[in-house]
Amino acid sequence: MSPSKLLGIPECFSAHGGQVDHLIDVVHWFMIALFVGWTLFFLFCLFRFWHRRNAKASYEGVKNHISSHIEVGVVIIEAVLLLGFAFPLWADRVDDWDHVREQNPLRVRVVGWQFGWTYHYAGADGKFGRIDPHLISGNNELGIDFNDPNAADDFTSPILKLPVDKPAVLNVTSKDVIHNYSLIPMRIQQDAIPGKEIPMWFTPVKTLETYVVCGQLCGEGHGNMIGSMEVMPVKAFDKWFDGQTESALKAHQASAAPKAEK
């Protein structure tokens, strides 16, 4: 039986999510045991030290050390959770990075702003164009330098679209304040910090359409900072990706033509 599922945790859609769910379940069982134990102790104290049964106060205090032994046991269990579950899960994610890079993952820049998300794709060449904050405008919200040859096929999207069963690396950053990019069905999240691009990676294993939320209080519109993510079949994603890349190239060529005539 899974306590987290009974409490309504969403279905897992990532390759590594099962490990996260297992750790969550172990923690829940531990907290249930603590809750039951301390509740029974509380009820015992209510009965044992009821004023009608103990009219005269005792100033000698507790003479045994059962509570100390219980506290030591709790510390040991917490150490097991940390050393036996959390650290190995973290180490596994770190070790997987080299394996992920060998699989030619899809890379997407995720840019947070008050109060939404914008996604920057590198296009068919797989190379992101240079970013210059001074170029940010109404028509270029991320400040992409389209004079950089690598930016010729770059495009942006208000929805994160990914192919199923292929590793994805998201470089998470922010334009203004600290946000947190949280993908609950993928069991992963990462702070979005201005001036830094922090990678996070996962492999979607099922198609879905879901919401993306900000997990860090970022202003009065924080509660409405909800984005969208769609995991698509590979063929459908390739068709969408190729179409976006082609449109970006045509737009770049059209904007470059008047400059060449001058």
Side-chain angles (χ1 to χ4, degrees):
M1 184 174 63
S2 171
S4 58
K5 289 183 179 179
L6 291 176
L7 294 173
I9 190 171
E11 182 182 355
C12 175
F13 284 82
S14 68
H16 76 279
Q19 295 173 287
V20 177
D21 286 353
H22 179 60
L23 177 57
I24 292 174
D25 282 340
V26 172
V27 172
H28 272 89
W29 280 119
F30 179 51
M31 297 307 297
I32 290 172
L34 285 178
F35 173 77
V36 172
W38 284 117
T39 300
L40 292 175
F41 178 71
F42 175 69
L43 295 175
F44 167 77
C45 290
L46 289 178
F47 173 78
R48 176 66 178 80
F49 302 105
W50 190 24
H51 70 92
R52 293 184 181 179
R53 301 180 69 253
N54 299 273
K56 185 178 180 180
S58 172
Y59 298 98
E60 296 180 2
V62 178
K63 296 181 179 180
N64 61 56
H65 299 282
I66 294 179
S67 62
S68 299
H69 298 326
I70 294 176
E71 290 175 3
V72 171
V74 170
V75 170
I76 292 175
I77 293 176
E78 290 177 346
V80 170
L81 287 174
L82 185 64
L83 301 176
F85 292 89
F87 279 2
L89 177 58
W90 171 80
D92 185 53
R93 296 289 293 159
V94 173
D95 293 341
D96 277 350
W97 174 238
D98 291 335
H99 178 63
V100 168
R101 289 191 298 180
E102 293 172 358
Q103 298 182 60
N104 188 29
L106 175 69
R107 293 177 176 270
V108 185
R109 291 183 68 242
V110 179
V111 184
W113 44 273
Q114 292 177 312
F115 296 94
W117 304 97
T118 300
Y119 304 98
H120 177 191
Y121 289 80
D125 62 3
K127 297 178 180 179
F128 290 104
R130 190 176 73 89
I131 302 297
D132 185 351
H134 297 93
L135 298 178
I136 293 178
S137 64
N139 297 323
N140 188 0
E141 59 179 324
L142 300 185
I144 302 173
D145 183 3
F146 289 103
N147 291 320
D148 181 358
N150 291 331
D153 58 353
D154 287 16
F155 64 91
T156 62
S157 171
I159 300 175
L160 175 63
K161 296 192 177 187
L162 301 173
V164 69
D165 292 325
K166 180 175 181 178
V169 177
L170 307 184
N171 286 6
V172 183
T173 187
S174 170
K175 289 171 58 177
D176 37 46
V177 300
I178 296 177
H179 301 279
N180 179 279
Y181 192 70
S182 183
L183 296 171
I184 304 301
M186 299 298 165
R187 304 297 192 264
I188 196 167
Q189 61 180 6
Q190 176 60 57
D191 282 346
I193 302 175
K196 292 186 177 181
E197 288 196 7
I198 305 175
M200 71 178 196
W201 65 96
F202 57 93
T203 302
V205 294
K206 300 177 184 177
T207 58
L208 84 156
E209 294 183 25
T210 188
Y211 294 109
V212 176
V213 298
C214 177
Q216 177 73 32
L217 185 61
C218 58
E220 62 181 6
H222 165 72
N224 295 321
M225 190 169 172
I226 300 176
S228 298
M229 179 182 73
E230 182 179 359
V231 179
M232 313 166 62
V234 175
K235 290 184 178 180
F237 174 81
D238 289 343
K239 181 179 180 180
W240 172 82
F241 186 85
D242 293 342
Q244 294 293 316
T245 299
E246 184 178 351
S247 296
L249 283 170
K250 290 180 178 179
H252 178 74
Q253 293 170 355
S255 63
K259 296 180 181 178
E261 293 177 358
K262 293 180 180 179

